[in-house]
């Protein structure tokens, strides 16, 4: 992930990754001045750079701590200059923080990026004005796995798969093992009535419900979606009749104690279909943010706001007003 801060003056010709400069990675995303060497971008939001082949996040200026960098005199975020930590995966980040500090930094940015995304997307649903920008684009995954270690990337991939594969989930739900009759036990223990020469059993014995491996994977998948709904306020269509893992158990056991990764590794050998393997990939990526998954972003995920202060004020007014309990 590439990280920019709203209103911070960036040197446009500084190298970000490989041979790409700040100007290069942003030219297909926002308007970048041609003749100026330094520029402040007044955006907050989430988008994708085709040049860098990576996600770009513009975070609100309030993330700056107000503390000054001793060398440059610039404002800092977690003790480092925003210019130094544009590349979320760069060695500069590792050199700036301890291992624990780097983990704290990434967790903070992952959580904040989700709320920024949710704030702008909810505003977009109810307001249609000129402070939002959009652009048509689509990434090219071509089956290659790309490293996306922010929680928001994984949430969007989970959302898209759920949205685009409702037929698959319906089929799995219908054939999930409910109401299958155990004919040997029915014949042995139930009284049959003859109707038109055919035996009719009015009290058939159902097979005992057994959770197979397909169902276990789907239970984990939909439990993750339910957890994201409860924790981050996203809305998913969960049309399935499984007993889901509670959000509290998922958080305390599957995430914090790493049971999710361990269990998925134990059952992976059972899956061969493309759909099941894709679900496994998405679930594993959720529990282990460093895992690589291939992703295709659509234009609707391009969310940039030019006046985030206004969106923030609208959000606060809505919350304080109490008219929308959701």
């Amino acid at each position: 992930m590439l990280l920019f801060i709203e209103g911070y003056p960036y040197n446009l010709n500084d190298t970000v990754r490989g041979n790409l400069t700040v100007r290069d990675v942003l030219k297909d995303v926002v308007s970048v001045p041609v003749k100026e060497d330094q520029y402040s971008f007044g955006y907050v939001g989430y988008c994708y750079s085709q040049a860098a082949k990576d996600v770009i996040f513009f975070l609100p200026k309030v993330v700056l701590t107000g503390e000054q960098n001793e060398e440059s005199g610039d404002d800092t975020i977690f003790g480092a200059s925003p210019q130094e930590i544009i590349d979320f995966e760069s060695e500069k980040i590792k050199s700036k923080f301890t291992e624990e500090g780097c983990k704290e930094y990434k967790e903070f940015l992952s959580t904040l990026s989700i709320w920024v995304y949710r704030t702008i997307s909810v505003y977009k649903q109810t307001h249609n004005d000129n402070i939002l920008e959009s652009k048509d684009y689509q990434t090219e995954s071509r089956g290659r796995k790309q490293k996306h270690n922010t929680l928001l990337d994984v949430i969007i991939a989970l959302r898209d798969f759920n949205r685009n594969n409702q037929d698959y989930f319906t089929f799995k739900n219908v054939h999930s093992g409910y109401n299958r009759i155990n004919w040997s036990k029915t014949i042995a223990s139930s009284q049959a009535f003859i109707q038109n020469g055919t035996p009719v059993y009015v009290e058939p014995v159902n097979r005992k419900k057994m959770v197979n491996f397909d169902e276990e994977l789907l239970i984990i998948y939909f439990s993750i979606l339910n957890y994201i709904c409860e924790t981050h306020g996203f809305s998913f269509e969960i049309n399935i009749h499984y007993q889901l893992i509670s959000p509290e158990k998922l958080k305390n056991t599957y995430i914090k104690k790493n049971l999710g990764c361990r269990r998925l590794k134990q059952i992976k050998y059972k899956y061969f279909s493309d759909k099941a393997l894709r679900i496994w990939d998405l679930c594993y990526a959720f529990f282990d943010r460093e895992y690589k998954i291939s992703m295709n972003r659509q234009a609707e995920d391009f969310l940039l706001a030019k006046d985030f202060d206004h969106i923030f004020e609208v959000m606060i007014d809505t919350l304080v007003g109490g008219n929308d309990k959701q």
Side-chain angles (χ1 to χ4, degrees), residues 92-309:
K92 289 182 180 179
I93 291 181
K94 297 177 182 177
S95 66
K96 288 290 178 183
F97 309 110
T98 63
E99 183 177 350
E100 186 61 31
C102 190
K103 180 180 178 182
E104 178 187 1
Y105 164 78
K106 288 187 176 183
E107 285 296 323
F108 167 76
L109 291 180
S110 291
T111 304
L112 180 61
S113 63
I114 293 170
W115 288 112
V116 168
Y117 180 89
R118 285 286 297 138
T119 300
I120 298 177
S121 61
V122 169
Y123 180 90
K124 183 181 178 182
Q125 293 172 5
T126 55
H127 298 76
N128 183 20
D129 56 33
N130 60 3
I131 74 170
L132 298 176
E133 288 203 0
S134 62
K135 181 178 290 187
D136 292 335
Y137 71 91
Q138 185 171 344
T139 63
E140 297 180 3
S141 67
R142 295 181 181 176
R144 292 186 306 168
K145 292 189 176 182
Q146 306 166 357
K147 193 169 192 176
H148 297 284
N149 60 357
T150 65
L151 180 57
L152 179 57
D153 294 317
V154 179
I155 288 176
I156 290 173
L158 286 162
R159 179 205 66 187
D160 290 345
F161 186 89
N162 182 56
R163 176 189 298 165
N164 298 329
N165 291 276
Q166 283 300 308
D167 289 345
Y168 173 78
F169 294 129
T170 300
F171 174 82
K172 285 293 182 182
N173 194 28
V174 170
H175 296 81
S176 60
Y178 284 98
N179 297 323
R180 292 181 180 177
I181 298 175
N182 187 325
W183 286 109
S184 60
K185 289 187 177 180
T186 298
I187 294 171
S189 61
S190 300
Q191 183 69 40
F193 296 91
I194 305 300
Q195 183 176 0
N196 297 328
T198 303
V200 176
Y201 293 90
V202 295
E203 296 181 354
V205 178
N206 287 349
R207 292 182 184 273
K208 184 179 180 181
K209 174 72 175 128
M210 299 295 290
V211 176
N212 60 34
F213 283 97
D214 272 348
E215 291 172 355
E216 182 174 2
L217 182 62
L218 290 177
I219 286 171
I220 294 174
Y221 175 77
F222 282 105
S223 296
I224 289 173
L225 294 188
N226 185 51
Y227 172 84
I228 293 170
C229 291
E230 293 288 332
T231 306
H232 301 294
F234 283 77
S235 178
F236 300 113
E237 183 177 351
I238 303 179
N239 185 22
I240 212 78
H241 299 303
Y242 298 131
Q243 182 67 43
L244 300 182
I245 304 164
S246 69
E248 182 179 359
K249 183 176 180 180
L250 196 80
K251 178 180 179 181
N252 294 331
T253 305
Y254 282 74
I255 297 175
K256 289 186 176 181
K257 296 183 179 179
N258 205 33
L259 176 62
C261 287
R262 295 200 308 270
R263 185 57 188 154
L264 286 170
K265 286 180 180 179
Q266 291 171 352
I267 64 176
K268 184 178 182 180
Y269 73 98
K270 291 287 184 179
Y271 307 115
F272 301 98
S273 72
D274 291 341
K275 297 282 189 185
L277 289 173
R278 179 61 173 169
I279 294 172
W280 191 97
D281 266 351
L282 292 170
C283 292
Y284 196 89
F286 176 81
F287 293 124
D288 179 11
R289 309 292 159 69
E290 300 297 325
Y291 185 70
K292 297 179 182 180
I293 55 175
S294 59
M295 297 176 67
N296 245 350
R297 283 184 186 76
Q298 306 295 331
E300 65 195 59
D301 292 324
F302 190 104
L303 291 175
L304 285 181
K306 289 180 285 188
D307 294 305
F308 188 72
D309 289 350

Side-chain angles (χ1 to χ4, degrees), residues 65-84:
T65 61
E67 299 176 359
Q68 303 296 308
N69 184 295
E70 295 181 358
E71 297 179 3
S72 63
D74 293 335
D75 274 340
T76 61
I77 175 172
F78 283 92
S81 165
Q83 188 89 31
E84 296 175 311

